[in-house]
Amino acid sequence: MAKKKFYVVWKGVKPGIYHSWDDCKAQISGFESALYKSFSTLEEAEKAFSGNPLYQVFYAPTDSGESGGK
């Protein structure tokens, strides 16, 4: 069984937290400079959505323990 993910969209058609990739994809497809990321838990997604998205995307550890960007 696939592990459940939660998707945060900071910049897209309708920013928010989505419970499926299809729902997330609908908000970012064709949206120039869309900003989004997946999270393992709803709690992580909620914290990220209310925080600074650039920190979450580029500096926060990913599931593998590495930073997401530089």
Side-chain angles (χ1 to χ4, degrees), residues 9 11 19-20 25 27 29 31-32 47-48 54 59 64-65 68:
V9 175
K11 287 179 67 180
H19 295 244
S20 75
K25 189 175 174 184
Q27 303 307 315
S29 291
F31 193 92
E32 190 171 334
K47 185 176 178 182
L54 294 179
Y59 301 105
S64 66

Side-chain angles (χ1 to χ4, degrees), residues 16-49:
I17 299 172
Y18 295 90
H19 295 244
S20 75
W21 170 243
D22 288 339
D23 290 342
C24 175
K25 189 175 174 184
Q27 303 307 315
I28 61 171
S29 291
F31 193 92
E32 190 171 334
S33 300
L35 188 57
Y36 62 98
K37 184 177 178 183
S38 67
F39 293 88
S40 299
T41 68
L42 181 58
E43 182 180 20
E44 289 175 330
E46 289 172 339
K47 185 176 178 182
F49 184 64

Side-chain angles (χ1 to χ4, degrees), residues 10 35 47-58 60:
W10 290 281
L35 188 57
K47 185 176 178 182
F49 184 64
S50 65
N52 181 342
L54 294 179
Y55 172 81
Q56 294 297 330
V57 172
F58 294 106

